[in-house]
mmCIF file of all heavy atoms in Angstrom:
data_model
loop_
_atom_site.group_PDB
_atom_site.id
_atom_site.type_symbol
_atom_site.label_atom_id
_atom_site.label_comp_id
_atom_site.label_asym_id
_atom_site.label_seq_id
_atom_site.Cartn_x
_atom_site.Cartn_y
_atom_site.Cartn_z
ATOM 1 N N TRP A 45 -37.034 5.545 4.318
ATOM 2 C CA TRP A 45 -35.547 5.632 4.213
ATOM 3 C C TRP A 45 -34.968 6.297 5.471
ATOM 4 O O TRP A 45 -35.541 7.230 6.038
ATOM 5 C CB TRP A 45 -35.220 6.478 2.985
ATOM 6 C CG TRP A 45 -33.742 6.631 2.692
ATOM 7 C CD1 TRP A 45 -33.005 5.891 1.842
ATOM 8 C CD2 TRP A 45 -32.883 7.601 3.245
ATOM 9 N NE1 TRP A 45 -31.733 6.331 1.828
ATOM 10 C CE2 TRP A 45 -31.593 7.382 2.688
ATOM 11 C CE3 TRP A 45 -33.019 8.617 4.198
ATOM 12 C CZ2 TRP A 45 -30.484 8.156 2.984
ATOM 13 C CZ3 TRP A 45 -31.901 9.399 4.516
ATOM 14 C CH2 TRP A 45 -30.680 9.169 3.924
ATOM 15 N N THR A 46 -33.786 5.840 5.914
ATOM 16 C CA THR A 46 -33.036 6.503 6.969
ATOM 17 C C THR A 46 -31.540 6.525 6.617
ATOM 18 O O THR A 46 -31.064 5.720 5.801
ATOM 19 C CB THR A 46 -33.202 5.762 8.319
ATOM 20 O OG1 THR A 46 -32.711 4.412 8.221
ATOM 21 C CG2 THR A 46 -34.644 5.755 8.796
ATOM 22 N N GLY A 47 -30.857 7.437 7.235
ATOM 23 C CA GLY A 47 -29.383 7.535 7.045
ATOM 24 C C GLY A 47 -28.774 8.203 8.259
ATOM 25 O O GLY A 47 -29.505 8.710 9.126
ATOM 26 N N SER A 48 -27.479 8.181 8.370
ATOM 27 C CA SER A 48 -26.787 8.854 9.446
ATOM 28 C C SER A 48 -25.501 9.446 8.929
ATOM 29 O O SER A 48 -24.884 8.961 7.962
ATOM 30 C CB SER A 48 -26.482 7.919 10.611
ATOM 31 O OG SER A 48 -25.550 6.939 10.231
ATOM 32 N N LEU A 49 -25.066 10.552 9.547
ATOM 33 C CA LEU A 49 -23.877 11.257 9.119
ATOM 34 C C LEU A 49 -23.127 11.739 10.364
ATOM 35 O O LEU A 49 -23.697 12.414 11.231
ATOM 36 C CB LEU A 49 -24.257 12.468 8.254
ATOM 37 C CG LEU A 49 -23.137 13.414 7.801
ATOM 38 C CD1 LEU A 49 -22.186 12.661 6.878
ATOM 39 C CD2 LEU A 49 -23.714 14.644 7.122
ATOM 40 N N THR A 50 -21.867 11.349 10.454
ATOM 41 C CA THR A 50 -20.979 11.799 11.549
ATOM 42 C C THR A 50 -19.816 12.542 10.920
ATOM 43 O O THR A 50 -19.105 12.001 10.073
ATOM 44 C CB THR A 50 -20.449 10.606 12.349
ATOM 45 O OG1 THR A 50 -21.537 9.847 12.861
ATOM 46 C CG2 THR A 50 -19.566 11.088 13.503
ATOM 47 N N THR A 51 -19.576 13.784 11.359
ATOM 48 C CA THR A 51 -18.544 14.624 10.762
ATOM 49 C C THR A 51 -17.556 15.095 11.829
ATOM 50 O O THR A 51 -17.934 15.546 12.896
ATOM 51 C CB THR A 51 -19.129 15.865 10.081
ATOM 52 O OG1 THR A 51 -20.027 15.427 9.041
ATOM 53 C CG2 THR A 51 -18.059 16.739 9.484
ATOM 54 N N THR A 52 -16.277 14.914 11.543
ATOM 55 C CA THR A 52 -15.203 15.391 12.402
ATOM 56 C C THR A 52 -14.332 16.351 11.604
ATOM 57 O O THR A 52 -13.838 16.001 10.511
ATOM 58 C CB THR A 52 -14.324 14.228 12.908
ATOM 59 O OG1 THR A 52 -15.138 13.306 13.607
ATOM 60 C CG2 THR A 52 -13.218 14.729 13.828
ATOM 61 N N ARG A 53 -14.149 17.570 12.130
ATOM 62 C CA ARG A 53 -13.337 18.555 11.440
ATOM 63 C C ARG A 53 -12.053 18.791 12.227
ATOM 64 O O ARG A 53 -12.087 19.018 13.445
ATOM 65 C CB ARG A 53 -14.093 19.862 11.261
ATOM 66 C CG ARG A 53 -15.372 19.723 10.437
ATOM 67 C CD ARG A 53 -15.936 21.072 10.023
ATOM 68 N NE ARG A 53 -17.255 20.882 9.455
ATOM 69 C CZ ARG A 53 -18.367 21.112 10.131
ATOM 70 N NH1 ARG A 53 -18.348 21.577 11.363
ATOM 71 N NH2 ARG A 53 -19.566 20.918 9.556
ATOM 72 N N LEU A 54 -10.919 18.738 11.511
ATOM 73 C CA LEU A 54 -9.609 18.938 12.134
ATOM 74 C C LEU A 54 -8.814 19.867 11.255
ATOM 75 O O LEU A 54 -8.101 19.424 10.324
ATOM 76 C CB LEU A 54 -8.887 17.583 12.282
ATOM 77 C CG LEU A 54 -9.580 16.540 13.167
ATOM 78 C CD1 LEU A 54 -9.009 15.164 12.897
ATOM 79 C CD2 LEU A 54 -9.403 16.905 14.605
ATOM 80 N N GLY A 55 -8.895 21.153 11.492
ATOM 81 C CA GLY A 55 -8.153 22.110 10.662
ATOM 82 C C GLY A 55 -8.601 22.040 9.205
ATOM 83 O O GLY A 55 -9.784 22.228 8.893
ATOM 84 N N SER A 56 -7.681 21.744 8.321
ATOM 85 C CA SER A 56 -8.012 21.688 6.894
ATOM 86 C C SER A 56 -8.622 20.358 6.461
ATOM 87 O O SER A 56 -8.979 20.216 5.282
ATOM 88 C CB SER A 56 -6.772 21.979 6.059
ATOM 89 O OG SER A 56 -5.824 20.970 6.272
ATOM 90 N N LEU A 57 -8.754 19.443 7.363
ATOM 91 C CA LEU A 57 -9.253 18.112 7.051
ATOM 92 C C LEU A 57 -10.620 17.906 7.662
ATOM 93 O O LEU A 57 -10.871 18.247 8.805
ATOM 94 C CB LEU A 57 -8.284 17.045 7.599
ATOM 95 C CG LEU A 57 -8.766 15.604 7.537
ATOM 96 C CD1 LEU A 57 -8.813 15.117 6.098
ATOM 97 C CD2 LEU A 57 -7.832 14.706 8.391
ATOM 98 N N GLN A 58 -11.550 17.362 6.870
ATOM 99 C CA GLN A 58 -12.860 16.982 7.382
ATOM 100 C C GLN A 58 -13.088 15.493 7.058
ATOM 101 O O GLN A 58 -12.927 15.085 5.894
ATOM 102 C CB GLN A 58 -13.981 17.795 6.759
ATOM 103 C CG GLN A 58 -15.369 17.335 7.206
ATOM 104 C CD GLN A 58 -16.468 18.192 6.635
ATOM 105 O OE1 GLN A 58 -16.600 19.370 6.986
ATOM 106 N NE2 GLN A 58 -17.281 17.631 5.747
ATOM 107 N N ILE A 59 -13.449 14.716 8.047
ATOM 108 C CA ILE A 59 -13.737 13.300 7.880
ATOM 109 C C ILE A 59 -15.209 13.059 8.201
ATOM 110 O O ILE A 59 -15.669 13.483 9.284
ATOM 111 C CB ILE A 59 -12.851 12.441 8.792
ATOM 112 C CG1 ILE A 59 -11.379 12.687 8.501
ATOM 113 C CG2 ILE A 59 -13.167 10.952 8.643
ATOM 114 C CD1 ILE A 59 -10.431 11.975 9.396
#
Side-chain angles (χ1 to χ4, degrees):
W45 183 96
T46 60
S48 67
L49 176 65
T50 303
T51 299
T52 301
R53 300 192 190 101
L54 298 163
S56 63
L57 172 69
Q58 176 178 293
I59 301 175

